[in-house]
Amino acid sequence: QVQLVESGGGSVQAGGSLRLSCAFSGDIFRGYTMHWYRQATGKQRELVASITRDSDTNYAAFVKGRFTISRDGPRKTVYLQMNSLRPEDTAVYYCNAERTIGYPGTFWGQGTQVTVSS
């Protein structure tokens, strides 16, 4: 069973930076596309960034140029570097693993809170 453990959230002032980490275990990491989602209070969960097993990346328009997603195969970890943070980036950030080899499956982490103050 895949397990995802996020870390790195916290409180920061606008303009600051944070790096989120998501540690993957329980299967072959390379077989998964990894995503970061976020959910602000009272809003729907939204996709922030994605990275394929070949490290192709995609970003939501609202983070493009500010956030960078990356993955480390040997460490089985995916990162989200967040720069130039804004108050509207405040949310719980979730790591998601989408299996792309074999039978389909998707797994979620428990989430990590990011709070950006003005």
Side-chain angles (χ1 to χ4, degrees):
Q1 180 75 1
V2 169
Q3 290 190 328
L4 304 171
V5 179
E6 299 105 330
S7 61
S11 297
V12 65
Q13 289 193 326
S17 298
L18 286 173
R19 188 176 81 154
L20 306 183
S21 300
C22 172
F24 174 103
S25 63
D27 204 347
I28 300 171
F29 185 52
R30 181 167 169 76
Y32 289 77
T33 290
M34 302 298 295
H35 309 279
W36 284 100
Y37 285 78
R38 71 186 187 185
Q39 187 167 20
T41 302
K43 295 189 176 181
Q44 289 191 329
R45 192 170 296 189
E46 59 187 359
L47 180 63
V48 175
S50 302
I51 186 165
T52 70
R53 60 176 179 165
D54 295 322
S55 293
D56 295 322
T57 59
N58 274 293
Y59 297 92
F62 52 79
V63 304
K64 196 171 289 186
R66 300 188 298 125
F67 291 11
T68 303
I69 189 171
S70 61
R71 64 191 291 162
D72 184 330
R75 288 186 168 84
K76 294 188 175 182
T77 301
V78 62
Y79 302 99
L80 186 67
Q81 177 67 44
M82 305 186 294
N83 298 328
S84 302
L85 283 162
R86 305 166 180 169
E88 54 264 39
D89 294 318
T90 295
V92 179
Y93 284 71
Y94 296 92
C95 180
N96 173 272
E98 177 192 359
R99 185 184 290 127
T100 56
I101 296 177
Y103 59 93
T106 185
F107 303 90
W108 292 92
Q110 82 287 352
T112 186
Q113 176 70 46
V114 171
T115 302
V116 185
S117 58
S118 57

